[in-house]
């Protein structure tokens, strides 16, 4: 079994199976990260994270582990999600605080 660095290097070189293996390895952790913070839409946030990782893979400077890079992306996706939710107008006659999200 290869480490994240080896899988990442192979993925950058064009090996799609290595990219898939890397995502499979980290999918549960990223999914858990969002499920613990967002009651709904967490699946969309997981997908956004992996798409952003795919789009920014060339910019990974290897100053940290791939896992750290991936979770930094997840953190940014979550932050953007909460920013967009905050901008929404809330009608408290049809939405309760409980409906907004846990925490």
């Amino acid at each position: 079994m290869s480490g994240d660095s080896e899988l990442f290097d192979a993925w950058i070189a064009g090996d799609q199976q290595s990219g898939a293996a890397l995502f499979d390895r980290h999918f549960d952790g990223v999914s858990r990260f969002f499920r613990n913070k967002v009651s709904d839409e967490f699946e969309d946030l997981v997908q956004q994270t992996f798409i952003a990782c795919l789009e920014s893979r060339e910019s990974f400077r290897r100053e940290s582990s791939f896992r750290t890079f991936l979770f930094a992306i997840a953190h940014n996706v979550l932050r953007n999600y909460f920013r967009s939710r905050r901008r929404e107008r809330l009608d408290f006659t049809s939405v309760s605080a409980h409906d907004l999200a846990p925490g």
Side-chain angles (χ1 to χ4, degrees):
M1 186 177 233
S2 298
D4 287 352
S5 294
E6 292 84 14
L7 288 172
F8 185 80
D9 290 339
W11 179 40
I12 291 296
D15 181 1
Q16 297 301 315
Q17 287 181 333
S18 292
L22 199 55
F23 286 156
D24 286 346
R25 182 176 288 182
H26 294 285
F27 181 84
D28 288 340
V30 171
S31 182
R32 194 170 34 256
F33 172 80
F34 286 115
R35 257 193 334 263
N36 289 333
K37 294 164 183 58
V38 179
S39 61
D40 60 345
E41 302 179 49
F42 78 90
E43 292 167 336
D44 291 338
L45 299 176
V46 171
Q47 184 176 15
Q48 288 175 32
T49 298
F50 283 105
I51 289 170
C53 181
L54 179 66
E55 292 171 346
S56 62
R57 69 183 182 267
E58 297 291 335
S59 67
F60 178 45
R61 296 179 299 201
R62 302 172 203 280
E63 294 174 355
S64 61
S65 69
F66 175 77
R67 179 179 168 80
T68 299
F69 173 68
L70 183 61
F71 276 87
I73 292 170
H75 178 265
N76 289 334
V77 167
L78 183 64
R79 188 179 63 213
N80 290 338
Y81 169 79
F82 283 131
R83 276 188 189 149
S84 71
R85 299 275 304 213
R86 192 174 22 184
R87 289 185 195 131
E88 294 175 4
R89 289 196 166 271
L90 299 177
D91 178 7
F92 284 104
T93 60
S94 63
V95 176
S96 71
H98 181 270
D99 294 332
L100 296 177

